Amino acid sequence: MRGLRRRLADLRIATKIVSVSLVVTVIFLASGIFGLVNLNRLIHEQDREYNVNVRALDEMTHVRSSVGSQLEAVLAYILSDPGFYRDTYADVIVQSDRDIDARIATLRAIDLPQHERTGLRGFTATVGMWRTARDAALDAARTGDQRKAAAVVLVRSESIARAVKDRAGSFLAQLVDAVAEGAKRAKANARRNAQLTAGLLAAGTLTALLLSALTARAISRPLRQVVDVLARVARGDLSRRVELDRDDEVGQIGRSLNETLGVLRNAFEEVHHRASHDGLTGLANRALLRERIGAARADAAGGRPVAMLLIDLDGFKQVNDVHGHAAGDHLLTVVAGRLQAGVRGGDTVARLGGDEFAVLLNDVDTAEDVCAVAERLLRDLQQPTVYRGIHLTPRASVGVSLWDGAIPIDALMHDADQAMYAAKTGGKGRVVYA
């Protein structure tokens, strides 16, 4: 009897162990299924975010760039005479139309939300209005009536062209907001998934707690890293990346998120660079130059003078007229490179438009140092260059103004401009100080 009781007791213990094991197994099985379902949902959300909004953002960035190129080509077509250059501008217009149509077709094929489709339809309609006005101007130019063509472009179609740019900018802003909103949603879903998974794991026995710690090491830590990156994205920080060297669903989430952040950051950087740099030479534009001058005011007011050099090429129009605009563009890029190579890393070289450049010298010691730099820059940029067998020799006039930070930026620019004008009227190819 005692032996029978002992065997029954052992059987009850074994049954309890099996029951506990089954409970633990069910808990972890449910936890695993729940986690996999939510991970797959996160993957689908990230994939859709990349395949919809990020792709649309990339396509629309190129559309806006093509629109800008076409606006410049239309104006150049109207102002040029019949011949090679007009044909070249006509090819640019045709090619940019093809690129715009192809990318709009791609955008239409993407499963965009309704409000983004509405924005795309508005942009497409505005492009159609611009093309109607543009074609009227091109027809007038082809018949030799450049005055009418210019009037159409500058009066009738200017507002439409501005509307095209505004529509493009508005649609881009919609896409950026959509990407940011998607990142916030993914962050909330990932956090909720981590919390519920942790709740399921906490419901087990001591063995379940031990296994939950191992699971947390394998799953929760990478998810927290993803959540941390998404939280930074929501605050506007696109510099962080998910570092997961694994081939499972968590690793796939990390790679998808990294690809999304890479495309988004490249798009932001390209938009910012285009807004602050000259498209031909890559130098700073007028807006970025004014920003750098403003930043240098503290140095100037603190006794470390700042110098502004305005440089205007002499005879540049003749280069364009005799050798063509391609030769003129070559000359501008050569001059830009020489100016950039002739200053320090903390100085700023900018193209203000046409054949006019500016150099901002920070923290100069004496006026004699400024004089030496200005004379050296003038001497260096006037060295000959060759373009397709044509020998070109740049010539320039330089106006220099020293700044102590007391006068406004516009006054500093005006003084340098007056000095440059004096250099031109005084014989060109020289440096004059304000």
Side-chain angles (χ1 to χ4, degrees), residues 10 30 42 56 75 77 88 98 128 135 161 179 195 312 345 349 358 362 385:
D10 292 339
L42 284 174
L75 185 57
Y77 181 96
T88 300
R98 291 174 181 170
D135 292 342
V179 172
Q195 291 173 346
D312 191 83
V349 180
N362 288 317
T385 182

Side-chain angles (χ1 to χ4, degrees), residues 146-224:
Q146 289 185 317
R147 178 175 298 177
K148 178 181 177 181
V152 171
V153 170
L154 298 176
V155 177
R156 178 177 155 197
S157 64
E158 173 65 22
S159 61
I160 301 177
R162 188 181 304 110
V164 171
K165 293 181 179 179
D166 292 343
R167 283 280 190 178
S170 176
F171 188 49
L172 280 172
Q174 275 188 320
L175 294 173
V176 170
D177 291 341
V179 172
E181 185 62 29
K184 291 179 180 178
R185 288 196 303 270
K187 169 191 171 183
N189 290 336
R191 178 174 294 169
R192 183 167 54 252
N193 179 46
Q195 291 173 346
L196 291 177
T197 301
L200 285 173
L201 296 176
T205 59
L206 183 60
T207 304
L209 292 176
L210 177 60
L211 293 176
S212 70
L214 298 176
T215 304
R217 180 178 298 273
I219 297 178
S220 298
R221 182 178 298 175
L223 286 179
R224 283 197 298 270

